[in-house]
Amino acid sequence: MLSIKNLHASIEGTPILKGINLQVNAGEVHAIMGPNGSGKSTLASVLAGREEYEVTQGEVIFQGKDLLELSPEDRAREGVFLAFQYPIEIPGVSTTNFLRTALNQIREYRGQEPLDAVKFLSLMKEKMALVEIDQKLLSRSLNEGFSGGEKKRNEIFQMAMLEPKLSILDETDSGLDIDALRIVSNGVNKLKSPSTATIVVTHYQRLLDYIVPDVVHVLYQGRIVKSGSKELALELEQKGYDWIKEEVDTAKATA
Amino acid sequence: MSIQTKQDLLQGLFTASPSNFISLREQGKEKFLSQGLPNQKSEEYRFTPIAKKLEQAITRFSPASPLSLSKEQVENALIEGFEGDILVFSNGYYHPEFSSRIDGIEVSILSEKPNTPIGSIAKPEKDPFLSLNQATFSDGVFISIPSKFICKKPILLLNLHQELDGQVISPRIWIEVGDFSEVTFIEQGCSLGNSPYFVNKVIEIQGGVQSQISYHRIQHEGNQVIEVSQLETDIQRDARFTSFYLSLSGDLIRNNLSLYLKGSNSVGNMYGISLLQGKSLVDHHTCVDHKEPHAESNELYKGIFGDYSRGVFNGKILVRQDAQKTNAFQQNNNVLLSEEALINTKPQLEIWADDVKCSHGCTVGQLDEEALFYLQARGIEKTTARGLLLFAFIAEVVDKIQVESLQKYIIAQIQERLGSTF
Ligand SMILES: Nc1ncnc2c1ncn2[C@@H]1O[C@H](COP(=O)(O)OP(=O)(O)OP(=O)(O)O)[C@@H](O)[C@H]1O
Ligand SMILES: [Mg+2]
């Protein structure tokens, strides 16, 4: 579904991603872990099409299409969804308000009829129940005065509404209490299918108890330096990143 | 302003002015000659090079004649879905043949009401364009709403403009609203041609005790139009006056808006939206004058400036010594969409009473790129996303419009503008 080859990206001339290779197939869950500042969110942003990041090398193929050629909105319409690490506030624009526009533009792109108000509302109700989010929250200005957990829940609600093919969850678990974590993870799991894939960026094993990954990657200094099974996450939780950093540094020194 | 232009003005306008209100016109002329036209050094017109503009765009400083209108022209200019009474004007002249007869309300040609206290609210010494209008106004109208009269439907003042014989249009309107009466006006300008003209307009409104008056202006004339207008309003105790300006186009537009709160417990609301592109310049100079205690004023202006457009906002709040317990609020927020767009914004507070609540603020920013990306990342087209964000920015002001058809019209105008060009 997603094939990233030798991806390099920089911001304001500073290279951040330095040769990412990643293959994600339909039906899979990939976890990306790694120390602060290693480039996890940068990778997510590059995939979503943020213009500040300049791709200097490499390619990203998503379902046979050159993803890097597409505008951010077309990537979303093709089925890429990014749940932001730090969802921003947008005064005067409510979730309900922009989601209807979003959903109908996505449907138009896919050659589907727009949803009328009634159908849209019933879809909302269904998805609201899935992530246990309150309608009141959705008619308020986006994220204005939302708690950390409410913001994250809102991201997953939007994901549920838009039914993406590839979901990238950037630290969606941070700031969630244990109940919210369970609700959000359940939501994510219910949306999983053999034809969709998920990339979860996280620092914590506890999320991976709920959303069980097929592969765990460690991103360090702009590269994926280690990949393994779900046990790798457990090992990282116990031992931290130092041993990986050392491995990388020795490899560099001998190279 | 060059000597030549000044000569043209005098020759063209003063000699051609109608032979009514003789002493009033004399007084206006005298005041104008002592004030002169503002130049770059005039504080009040510092950012608005009006004299230069006039010199560039106006070649014939003589009054434009009334147009012979067709029914079609009038209908085409109307706001879609508008329900209310209509008064039609061309180049400042009233056209009773196209206008509604409004039960219970007197509408007369100004020259038929020689005792109208013109200039008693809009005092000619205040501004050179005011005195110029007083000296040279074409025949305007007198509108009188009796006491205890509730005008259920809004009244549309439809102004059709086009240069004809001359390029200067000098309308004058006097409105008096009796005690306990309610009325809503919508004033709309419409260009019929493409050549430049200069509108120099004065509107005076006298609001009685506990009257409720709303006055909306839609400024959407051609991009070659130069306009200076003065809306001067007096209201008495327990009265409420609300103004709303939607400025969408024009070459150079200067709006002087003054509200005198002459009675206690009166309320003044002043709202405005400027949505500009190209090289348009819109200058809002507002003044609310609190003369008596326990009055309230709310002012909220928002501007979105694209291309090379420019905005000026100067909001004066004057609280006189007797006006204790005044509540005055003022806010001006702006978004600049291009490097070349510009806004000069300035609050001007003069407070002589000690027990007052007064707040003001102004902001200038850009479109929030992160918010734009967020919406795009949800599948929304960039232009739609921009429109959504910009509309959200001004929605607070749009919500203040009480007339449903007008609100719809304004939303449609704004959406068209945000969808197509920005
Ligand atoms: N706009 C920016 N300008 C300059 N540097 C940036 C910018 N955005 C990110 N960086 C830098 O890029 C590097 C990678 O940041 P990124 O946010 O991708 O890390 P991360 O792996 O997501 O970290 P965390 O675990 O803390 O979320 C950091 O050193 C960061 O400071
Ligand atoms: Mg991050």
Side-chain angles (χ1 to χ4, degrees), chain A residues 36-37 39-42 85-86 170-171 201 203:
Chain A
N36 293 129
K40 304 182 296 295
S41 295
T42 303
Q85 181 176 4
Y86 303 110
D170 193 357
E171 298 201 25
V201 174
H203 287 288

Side-chain angles (χ1 to χ4, degrees), chain B residues 251-362:
Chain B
D251 184 354
L252 184 154
I253 307 292
R254 164 66 173 249
N255 296 310
N256 288 338
L257 169 66
S258 301
L259 175 58
Y260 307 94
L261 300 175
K262 286 188 145 173
S264 62
N265 199 38
S266 51
V267 178
N269 301 311
M270 306 155 114
Y271 304 119
I273 294 173
S274 300
L275 200 55
L276 300 180
Q277 58 190 8
K279 290 183 173 171
S280 296
L281 185 161
V282 171
D283 176 345
H284 288 288
H285 263 64
T286 68
C287 173
V288 56
D289 185 347
H290 286 263
K291 291 176 188 283
E292 295 289 325
H294 293 283
E296 177 188 318
S297 64
N298 303 291
E299 183 166 15
L300 179 63
Y301 275 74
K302 297 216 180 191
I304 298 174
F305 302 91
D307 302 337
Y308 295 87
S309 65
R310 291 181 56 178
V312 179
F313 176 82
N314 189 102
K316 184 169 174 182
I317 300 175
L318 174 56
V319 182
R320 298 191 189 250
Q321 203 161 7
D322 290 340
Q324 299 295 356
K325 306 281 179 195
T326 287
N327 267 319
F329 164 87
Q330 181 190 91
Q331 187 76 35
N332 173 234
N333 306 112
N334 303 284
V335 173
L336 302 180
L337 295 177
S338 76
E339 295 275 322
E340 292 79 16
L342 189 70
I343 169 84
N344 292 99
T345 171
K346 186 175 125 201
Q348 198 182 338
L349 273 59
E350 234 179 82
I351 297 170
W352 300 101
D354 45 29
D355 188 9
V356 301
K357 279 202 193 106
C358 212
S359 75
H360 65 92
C362 54

Side-chain angles (χ1 to χ4, degrees), chain A residues 181-193:
Chain A
L181 181 70
R182 188 175 37 76
I183 294 163
V184 163
S185 314
N186 276 343
V188 172
N189 285 333
K190 280 192 197 133
L191 296 168
K192 266 192 338 200
S193 83

Side-chain angles (χ1 to χ4, degrees), chain B residues 19 23 75 86 94 105 163 181 199 227 239 253-254 261 273 286 328 339 351 364 379 389 416:
Chain B
S19 52
S23 63
E75 276 165 6
I86 303 165
Y94 180 50
I105 294 182
E163 71 139 334
S181 293
V199 180
E227 179 180 316
I253 307 292
R254 164 66 173 249
L261 300 175
I273 294 173
T286 68
E339 295 275 322
I351 297 170
V364 180
L389 291 174
E416 188 192 307

Side-chain angles (χ1 to χ4, degrees), chain A residues 73 77 82 105 155 158, chain B residues 370 374 376 378-379 381:
Chain A
E73 54 267 38
R77 294 162 182 182
L82 169 60
Q105 290 197 353
E155 293 290 294
Q158 293 177 40
Chain B
E370 276 196 66
Y374 188 98
Q376 283 181 274
R378 295 299 176 252
E381 189 75 47

Side-chain angles (χ1 to χ4, degrees), chain A residues 49-50 72-73 76-77 81-82 84 88 90-93 97-98 102 105-106 142 155 158, chain B residues 368-384 388-389 392-393 395:
Chain A
R50 187 158 207 144
E73 54 267 38
R77 294 162 182 182
F81 181 89
L82 169 60
F84 288 86
I88 55 153
I90 310 186
V93 178
N97 180 254
F98 80 79
Q105 290 197 353
I106 290 173
L142 179 70
E155 293 290 294
Q158 293 177 40
Chain B
D368 184 345
E369 292 291 330
E370 276 196 66
L372 193 61
F373 177 69
Y374 188 98
L375 295 176
Q376 283 181 274
R378 295 299 176 252
I380 301 177
E381 189 75 47
K382 192 170 187 174
T383 42
T384 315
L388 255 168
L389 291 174
F393 170 70

